[in-house]
Amino acid sequence: MKLPTIYLEDDYSAMARRGGEIVADIVRRSSRLVVALPTGSTSVGLYADLARRHREDGLSFRHVITFNLDEYRGIPKDDPESYHVFMERNLFAHVDIPASARHLPDPLAASSGDEVRRYEEAIDAAGGIDLAVLGVGANGHIAFNEPGDYVTGPTHVAALTDDTWTRNFPSLAPLREKNPEVRARYATAYTVGVGTILRARRILLLASGQAKASVLASAVRGSVTPNIPASFLQLHPDVTMVLDRAAGDWSLVKP
Ligand code: GLP
């Protein structure tokens, strides 16, 4: 077991800049790099920082191959909530990652069983993940590996917990009572497994905000448990965490 390297930054922007600096440094020093990518509000700032480095400093991503960590299942790729749309808007449209080097699970694949195998095999065929960039859910989920889910496995289909659903779709939550179809539309997702993540050569986790403090403290200091999927990162020898002050303030969290 090895403790992660933790950077504590003042606020969200400083977290995003530090994350960008770490990723940019790895991108610059590699001739070929396979990166796993998260979505969510935490990653928006990171992607904006990387886009700025591409625009202003000429940082090139032409040798980078990306695999997104997850995607909702059963929606079209151009659904406004899809991670295809999120990635295009926040990163792909602004940097020079070749289109053929960007991978996400296909939300409308005819067979989920075939799709999870295809995705895992594509990661293996690319040589495995060099750098897995992660966010974390307030309940400790990484990618869409929810607490108590089949966490140590490979890519699979996971069911979103109500808590994650409500946090991920704040604007849709009020519609949910009247229209259960809205909840059902984003009920499941393809996710790489914690097993896939743990095979990455390096892991970089970013987190911001007080809502993440308690779960991060447990993930880093507590036992390794499927109830907190992020706690499995304790089993990895090369984890860096970049936290803003609120996410890194564990003073009120019971040991
Ligand atoms: C989603 C993603 C996760 C991400 C999490 C955190 O559930 N599937 O990969 O880590 O959101 O989101 P946020 O950064 O918005 O807190």
Side-chain angles (χ1 to χ4, degrees):
M1 192 163 312
K2 190 174 170 289
L3 288 173
T5 303
I6 299 183
Y7 289 84
L8 264 190
E9 303 296 334
D10 279 342
D11 54 18
Y12 179 91
S13 320
M15 173 207 70
R17 264 199 311 281
R18 174 72 71 189
E21 179 185 301
I22 294 171
V23 174
D25 193 48
I26 298 172
V27 166
R28 246 185 246 108
R29 282 191 287 112
S30 343
S31 51
R32 182 179 180 278
L33 189 72
V34 180
V35 188
L37 294 176
T39 49
S41 53
T42 314
S43 61
V44 170
L46 169 72
Y47 295 150
D49 185 84
L50 292 174
R52 183 188 58 76
R53 288 171 198 272
H54 174 66
R55 209 172 46 242
E56 293 175 9
D57 310 338
L59 176 69
S60 175
F61 296 84
R62 236 168 295 166
H63 57 296
V64 173
I65 298 163
T66 66
F67 285 90
N68 265 81
L69 292 164
D70 42 24
E71 174 59 290
Y72 296 109
R73 176 171 158 266
I75 56 167
K77 285 180 188 166
D78 61 0
D79 183 288
E81 300 291 346
S82 86
Y83 290 165
H84 280 77
V85 168
F86 177 95
M87 290 309 295
E88 189 58 32
R89 187 191 313 131
N90 290 291
L91 184 67
F92 294 155
H94 312 289
V95 296
D96 58 348
I97 301 167
S100 59
R102 308 167 187 172
H103 303 86
L104 289 101
D106 176 359
L108 287 178
S111 151
S112 319
D114 289 349
E115 181 58 8
V116 296
R117 270 189 299 279
R118 182 195 70 79
Y119 206 65
E120 193 72 22
E121 280 166 18
I123 294 173
D124 284 346
I129 297 164
D130 296 309
L131 171 67
V133 183
L134 307 177
V136 63
N139 63 2
H141 76 248
I142 46 178
F144 264 133
N145 295 278
E146 294 278 37
D149 184 19
Y150 167 42
V151 287
T152 52
T155 303
H156 60 282
V157 173
L160 269 66
T161 61
D162 277 334
D163 178 59
T164 298
W165 196 96
T166 308
R167 283 174 197 277
N168 285 12
F169 304 108
S171 60
L172 298 180
L175 301 176
R176 189 174 139 182
E177 292 306 309
K178 284 197 207 109
N179 186 358
E181 191 273 332
V182 176
R183 171 70 174 91
R185 195 182 309 155
Y186 308 104
T188 57
Y190 288 105
T191 180
V192 302
V194 174
T196 321
I197 292 169
L198 289 178
R199 281 199 304 281
R201 288 165 199 104
R202 260 182 101 158
I203 294 176
L204 171 65
L205 180 145
L206 268 61
S208 139
Q210 202 215 333
K212 309 280 173 79
S214 151
V215 87
L216 279 169
S218 310
V220 171
R221 306 193 296 209
S223 352
V224 176
T225 162
N227 296 330
I228 302 176
S231 67
F232 279 83
L233 300 179
Q234 290 181 29
L235 305 177
H236 194 282
D238 193 347
V239 178
T240 300
M241 296 187 175
V242 180
L243 314 178
D244 71 0
R245 291 230 167 264
D249 180 1
W250 301 347
S251 56
L252 297 177
V253 179
K254 289 201 193 94

